[in-house]
Amino acid sequence: MTEPAADHAENAQDGPSEDGHAPHGYIGDKKAYLQRLKRIEGQARGLQRMVEDEKYCIDILTQISAMTKALESVALGLLDDHLTHCVVDAAAAGGAEADEKIKEASAAIARLVRS
């Protein structure tokens, strides 16, 4: 028997979901994104342990920097997937949806640049 999440991922690539939305651009890389996020989650737990164990400040800051870079990498990958799938598809269709997707992407880029 297959897992429901696997079925959803396979169905999402075939066309719009039950609610009529197109599949998300990252769906093809969903497994890799989840693995990366689980690794980041482990890094966060490691940081908690470092503080609990009263490790050296610089060592904790080094690990925070590594975790931040890992999150930025996931964010940039998701942004790239969004631009190459969702925004490109909307732009090809034209109209108000294209304008909205471009505004969304611009706002997301601005948030990433500010962070």
Side-chain angles (χ1 to χ4, degrees), residues 33 74-84 105 108-109 112:
Y33 280 119
V74 169
L76 289 172
L78 287 170
L79 179 61
D80 183 63
D81 286 340
H82 181 67
L83 291 172
T84 58
I109 293 166
L112 285 172

Short mmCIF file of all heavy atoms in Angstrom, two decimals, residues 33 74-84 105 108-109 112:
data_model
loop_
_atom_site.label_atom_id
_atom_site.label_comp_id
_atom_site.label_asym_id
_atom_site.label_seq_id
_atom_site.Cartn_x
_atom_site.Cartn_y
_atom_site.Cartn_z
N TYR A 33 13.25 18.63 -0.56
CA TYR A 33 12.99 19.76 0.34
C TYR A 33 12.69 19.27 1.75
O TYR A 33 13.18 19.83 2.73
CB TYR A 33 11.83 20.62 -0.17
CG TYR A 33 12.24 21.58 -1.26
CD1 TYR A 33 11.66 21.51 -2.52
CD2 TYR A 33 13.19 22.57 -1.04
CE1 TYR A 33 12.02 22.39 -3.52
CE2 TYR A 33 13.57 23.45 -2.03
CZ TYR A 33 12.98 23.36 -3.28
OH TYR A 33 13.34 24.22 -4.27
N VAL A 74 17.20 26.69 1.03
CA VAL A 74 15.85 26.17 0.78
C VAL A 74 14.97 27.27 0.20
O VAL A 74 14.25 27.06 -0.78
CB VAL A 74 15.23 25.59 2.07
CG1 VAL A 74 13.76 25.28 1.89
CG2 VAL A 74 15.97 24.33 2.50
N ALA A 75 15.05 28.46 0.78
CA ALA A 75 14.23 29.58 0.31
C ALA A 75 14.54 29.92 -1.14
O ALA A 75 13.63 30.14 -1.95
CB ALA A 75 14.44 30.81 1.20
N LEU A 76 15.82 29.96 -1.49
CA LEU A 76 16.20 30.28 -2.87
C LEU A 76 15.74 29.19 -3.84
O LEU A 76 15.31 29.49 -4.96
CB LEU A 76 17.70 30.50 -2.98
CG LEU A 76 18.20 31.79 -2.33
CD1 LEU A 76 19.73 31.83 -2.32
CD2 LEU A 76 17.63 33.02 -3.03
N GLY A 77 15.81 27.94 -3.41
CA GLY A 77 15.32 26.85 -4.25
C GLY A 77 13.82 26.95 -4.49
O GLY A 77 13.34 26.79 -5.61
N LEU A 78 13.06 27.24 -3.42
CA LEU A 78 11.61 27.41 -3.55
C LEU A 78 11.28 28.60 -4.43
O LEU A 78 10.37 28.53 -5.26
CB LEU A 78 10.97 27.57 -2.18
CG LEU A 78 10.88 26.30 -1.34
CD1 LEU A 78 10.47 26.64 0.09
CD2 LEU A 78 9.91 25.31 -1.95
N LEU A 79 12.03 29.68 -4.27
CA LEU A 79 11.80 30.86 -5.10
C LEU A 79 12.06 30.55 -6.57
O LEU A 79 11.26 30.91 -7.45
CB LEU A 79 12.68 32.02 -4.64
CG LEU A 79 12.57 33.30 -5.45
CD1 LEU A 79 11.15 33.87 -5.39
CD2 LEU A 79 13.58 34.33 -4.95
N ASP A 80 13.15 29.84 -6.85
CA ASP A 80 13.45 29.46 -8.22
C ASP A 80 12.35 28.58 -8.80
O ASP A 80 11.90 28.80 -9.92
CB ASP A 80 14.80 28.72 -8.28
CG ASP A 80 15.18 28.38 -9.70
OD1 ASP A 80 15.37 29.31 -10.52
OD2 ASP A 80 15.25 27.17 -10.01
N ASP A 81 11.89 27.60 -8.02
CA ASP A 81 10.79 26.75 -8.48
C ASP A 81 9.53 27.56 -8.74
O ASP A 81 8.82 27.34 -9.72
CB ASP A 81 10.49 25.64 -7.46
CG ASP A 81 11.55 24.55 -7.44
OD1 ASP A 81 12.30 24.43 -8.43
OD2 ASP A 81 11.62 23.83 -6.44
N HIS A 82 9.25 28.51 -7.85
CA HIS A 82 8.06 29.35 -8.01
C HIS A 82 8.16 30.18 -9.30
O HIS A 82 7.20 30.26 -10.08
CB HIS A 82 7.89 30.27 -6.80
CG HIS A 82 6.68 31.13 -6.87
ND1 HIS A 82 5.40 30.63 -6.82
CD2 HIS A 82 6.56 32.47 -7.01
CE1 HIS A 82 4.54 31.63 -6.91
NE2 HIS A 82 5.22 32.76 -7.04
N LEU A 83 9.33 30.77 -9.52
CA LEU A 83 9.50 31.60 -10.72
C LEU A 83 9.41 30.78 -12.00
O LEU A 83 8.75 31.18 -12.96
CB LEU A 83 10.84 32.33 -10.67
CG LEU A 83 10.97 33.43 -9.62
CD1 LEU A 83 12.41 33.94 -9.55
CD2 LEU A 83 10.01 34.57 -9.88
N THR A 84 10.06 29.61 -12.00
CA THR A 84 10.11 28.82 -13.23
C THR A 84 8.84 28.04 -13.51
O THR A 84 8.67 27.55 -14.63
CB THR A 84 11.32 27.87 -13.23
OG1 THR A 84 11.24 27.01 -12.10
CG2 THR A 84 12.63 28.63 -13.21
N ALA A 105 5.89 37.40 -6.40
CA ALA A 105 7.31 37.04 -6.52
C ALA A 105 8.20 38.22 -6.12
O ALA A 105 9.19 38.04 -5.40
CB ALA A 105 7.63 36.58 -7.94
N ALA A 108 8.18 38.50 -2.38
CA ALA A 108 8.97 37.41 -1.77
C ALA A 108 10.47 37.70 -1.89
O ALA A 108 11.22 37.49 -0.94
CB ALA A 108 8.62 36.07 -2.42
N ILE A 109 10.88 38.18 -3.05
CA ILE A 109 12.30 38.53 -3.25
C ILE A 109 12.70 39.65 -2.30
O ILE A 109 13.76 39.59 -1.66
CB ILE A 109 12.57 38.91 -4.71
CG1 ILE A 109 12.40 37.69 -5.61
CG2 ILE A 109 13.95 39.53 -4.88
CD1 ILE A 109 12.31 37.99 -7.10
N LEU A 112 13.22 38.27 1.16
CA LEU A 112 14.47 37.50 1.26
C LEU A 112 15.69 38.43 1.30
O LEU A 112 16.64 38.18 2.05
CB LEU A 112 14.60 36.53 0.10
CG LEU A 112 13.73 35.28 0.18
CD1 LEU A 112 13.80 34.49 -1.12
CD2 LEU A 112 14.13 34.42 1.35
#
